[in-house]
Amino acid sequence: GFGGAGGAASGGNINITGGAGMAGDDSDNNHFAGGTGGASFWTGGGRGATGSSSYPGTNGNFGSGGGGGANNHTSRQAGNGFVLVEEYK
């Protein structure tokens, strides 16, 4: 499969679109890993789950996407967006 498109930002003076997610890997005989979540301007996306029951993947941070699911693991949550305000004197 393919990773999803990045999310669109709106309502600010500078709106930065999120990066696209990366595709996971799967075959008829093996389940490998879920895709990586799309990156934000601030950080990379969460890692996808593996076929192993010991690694369920990670959530996104600072507006990035969560890792994709694999086997019995569901996809992870995207990170909350935030507003950065800089004041110049």
Side-chain angles (χ1 to χ4, degrees):
F2 297 99
S10 63
N13 291 332
I14 300 173
N15 297 305
I16 302 171
T17 301
M22 295 179 64
D25 194 3
D26 198 4
S27 72
D28 291 335
N29 299 319
N30 296 304
H31 298 286
F32 297 111
T36 301
S40 72
F41 177 78
W42 304 104
T43 187
R47 292 184 291 176
T50 66
S52 167
S53 61
S54 63
Y55 190 74
T58 59
N59 292 335
N61 292 302
F62 302 114
S64 68
N71 287 355
N72 295 328
H73 298 294
T74 58
S75 58
R76 305 298 290 188
Q77 293 180 351
N80 292 327
F82 68 98
V83 176
L84 173 69
V85 177
E86 291 189 28
E87 184 175 342
Y88 296 96
K89 292 184 178 185

